[in-house]
């Protein structure tokens, strides 16, 4: 198949231009086509895929080509738009509808950058600034700006943009966000190098209280200074999240870190700064968040285990073999050993995510529990059960025999002996 000719004029736009100017790797390129109709694109061999506006896939590369368009607000939320796309729409008009100036640049086929809205200036000054008043028409842009703050850690949010975002929240635009889109943006922001900045921006504009009120409620809640020199529960949550990011933890671990202490916001005032029983409250709140935002099962399940057991993991150096085995079983560590490693990653981040000298302190609980897990897994449970059956044991006695064998293996591991006979 010969290379198809793009009707009209094609420009690389958005993130590819921004990242190239920042010296960052460019993985995907989006194109805008000016001066062409949908019919001309189809006749040139491009495949239409856009439902809400005209987007086409290149028949060879699969790259996305969108017709230049303008948008007009017609209703609440991010879907309430009327789209106008025809050959008369200019590149400048198309770029004007974008969110931030640094995302409103284009590059022609000769490599020339077209920058009608000051994106290069804001790149140089490290500023996140909205293109124009149309920014306020799409509430998803609140989440996107917060996510870009997490990605571009050295950039500051322009005060006019922050004020505009606050006005959007007051006007109820954030309430129109659908769960899937909230999760999508949060998940992407969580995987950036400075995820705490996403939540700081969302708090500053008031949106966090709308999309994640369970998390927002943690700020201002005190905890014991001896265990938490940072004192504030919200600050602790951010330190834990950053510790997970520094360890390059996967999304499920970062989400578990974000959810693990939600119950502290529901601690009775007379109990503060202690938080007895916060684990069970955190499990319930994390489950409610997961249901509301339709969080993927692997993230929701890991968050539930970490919320329930992080305190027990922290105290595990005090546990004997039997209690250690019960902890492993509650974490499903013997059936899902790889997931247990993720549980321990989140618990290590919880240990490190504190003020004072805590980030420099070791966390021996993690290697000790991994050794106990390996010792328990090394037991041939089938052989133990077979021997118990031969001796006429009941089902309960068989389970007890397997548990005893695993406890003995953990004890041998603790003494430095072989994990199994």
């Amino acid at each position: 198949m010969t290379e198809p000719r793009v009707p009209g004029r094609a420009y690389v736009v958005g993130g590819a231009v921004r990242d190239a100017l920042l010296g960052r790797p460019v993985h995907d390129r989006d194109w805008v086509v000016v001066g062409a109709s949908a019919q001309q694109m189809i006749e040139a061999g491009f495949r239409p895929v856009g439902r809400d506006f005209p987007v086409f896939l290149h028949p060879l590369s699969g790259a996305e080509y969108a017709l230049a368009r303008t948008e007009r607000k017609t209703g609440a939320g991010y879907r309430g738009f009327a789209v106008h796309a025809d050959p008369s729409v200019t590149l400048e008009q198309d770029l004007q509808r974008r969110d931030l100036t640094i995302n409103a640049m284009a590059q022609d086929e000769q490599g020339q950058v077209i920058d009608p809205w000051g994106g290069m200036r804001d790149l140089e000054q490290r500023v996140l600034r909205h293109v124009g008043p149309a920014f306020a028409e799409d509430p998803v842009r609140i989440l996107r700006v917060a996510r870009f703050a997490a990605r571009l850690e050295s950039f500051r949010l322009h005060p006019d943009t922050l004020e505009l975002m606050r006005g959007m929240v007051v006007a109820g635009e954030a309430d129109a966000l659908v769960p899937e889109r909230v999760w999508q943006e949060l998940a992407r922001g969580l995987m950036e190098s400075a995820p705490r900045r996403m939540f700081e921006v969302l708090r500053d504009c008031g949106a966090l209280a709308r999309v994640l009120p369970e998390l927002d409620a943690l700020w201002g809640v005190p905890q014991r200074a001896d265990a938490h020199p940072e004192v504030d529960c919200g600050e602790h949550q951010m330190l834990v999240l950053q510790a997970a990011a520094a360890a390059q933890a996967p999304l499920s671990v970062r989400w578990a870190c974000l959810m693990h202490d939600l119950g502290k916001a529901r601690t009775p005032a007379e109990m503060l700064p202690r938080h007895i029983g916060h684990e069970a409250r955190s499990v319930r709140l994390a489950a409610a968040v997961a249901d509301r935002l339709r969080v993927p099962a692997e993230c929701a399940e890991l968050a539930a285990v970490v919320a329930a057991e992080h305190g027990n993991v922290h105290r595990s150096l005090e546990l004997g073999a039997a209690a250690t085995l019960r902890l492993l079983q509650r974490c499903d560590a013997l059936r899902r050993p790889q997931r247990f490693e993720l549980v321990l990653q989140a618990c290590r981040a919880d240990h490190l995510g504190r003020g004072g000298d805590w980030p420099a302190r070791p966390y021996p609980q993690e290697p000790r529990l991994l050794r106990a897990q390996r010792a328990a897994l090394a037991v041939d449970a089938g052989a133990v059960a077979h021997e118990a059956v031969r001796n006429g044991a009941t089902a309960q006695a068989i389970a007890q025999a397997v548990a005893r064998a695993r406890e003995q293996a953990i004890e041998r591991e603790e003494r430095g002996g072989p994990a199994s006979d």
Side-chain angles (χ1 to χ4, degrees), residues 155-209:
F155 281 58
R156 62 182 175 85
L157 183 58
H158 193 280
D160 290 347
T161 303
L162 176 59
E163 195 59 35
L164 188 59
M165 291 164 62
R166 286 172 175 164
M168 293 169 67
V169 173
V170 171
E173 282 289 334
D175 300 326
L177 289 164
V178 298
E180 295 89 346
R181 197 59 191 271
V182 173
W183 168 253
Q184 180 185 49
E185 294 296 332
L186 289 179
R188 294 177 70 180
L190 281 169
M191 292 308 295
E192 299 293 357
S193 59
R196 72 168 294 161
R197 291 204 68 214
M198 174 171 63
F199 298 101
E200 289 169 350
V201 168
L202 291 176
R203 279 195 74 225
D204 284 347
C205 72
L208 190 61

Side-chain angles (χ1 to χ4, degrees), residues 223-285:
Q223 50 197 340
R224 289 168 43 200
D226 57 335
H228 289 277
E230 73 284 356
V231 179
D232 188 272
C233 288
E235 175 61 17
H236 169 61
Q237 211 85 335
M238 294 297 97
L239 291 172
V240 174
L241 179 57
Q242 280 304 130
Q248 298 184 322
L251 175 61
S252 60
V253 171
R254 300 188 193 203
W255 181 251
C257 288
L258 196 68
M259 297 287 103
H260 82 285
D261 267 353
L262 294 183
K264 288 183 176 178
R266 303 288 180 89
T267 299
E270 64 272 14
M271 191 184 293
L272 297 174
R274 304 176 72 199
H275 292 276
I276 298 170
H278 78 275
E279 294 89 352
R281 297 192 297 274
S282 298
V283 170
R284 291 193 294 271
L285 288 168

Side-chain angles (χ1 to χ4, degrees), residues 45 103 138 144 152 185 188 208 212 240 252 255 269 288 290 351 389:
N103 297 329
D138 185 354
R144 279 177 53 84
L152 303 172
E185 294 296 332
R188 294 177 70 180
L208 190 61
L212 264 182
V240 174
S252 60
W255 181 251
H351 166 83
V389 169

Side-chain angles (χ1 to χ4, degrees), residues 115-175:
D115 177 27
W117 309 110
M120 293 183 71
R121 170 204 63 203
D122 287 340
L123 279 182
E124 292 169 0
Q125 297 179 0
R126 297 292 193 264
V127 174
L128 300 175
R129 184 199 314 256
H130 63 285
V131 174
F135 177 99
E137 296 177 350
D138 185 354
V140 173
R141 290 173 173 174
I142 297 172
L143 299 173
R144 279 177 53 84
V145 170
R147 174 165 61 82
F148 277 112
R151 175 184 294 186
L152 303 172
E153 188 174 359
S154 64
F155 281 58
R156 62 182 175 85
L157 183 58
H158 193 280
D160 290 347
T161 303
L162 176 59
E163 195 59 35
L164 188 59
M165 291 164 62
R166 286 172 175 164
M168 293 169 67
V169 173
V170 171
E173 282 289 334
D175 300 326

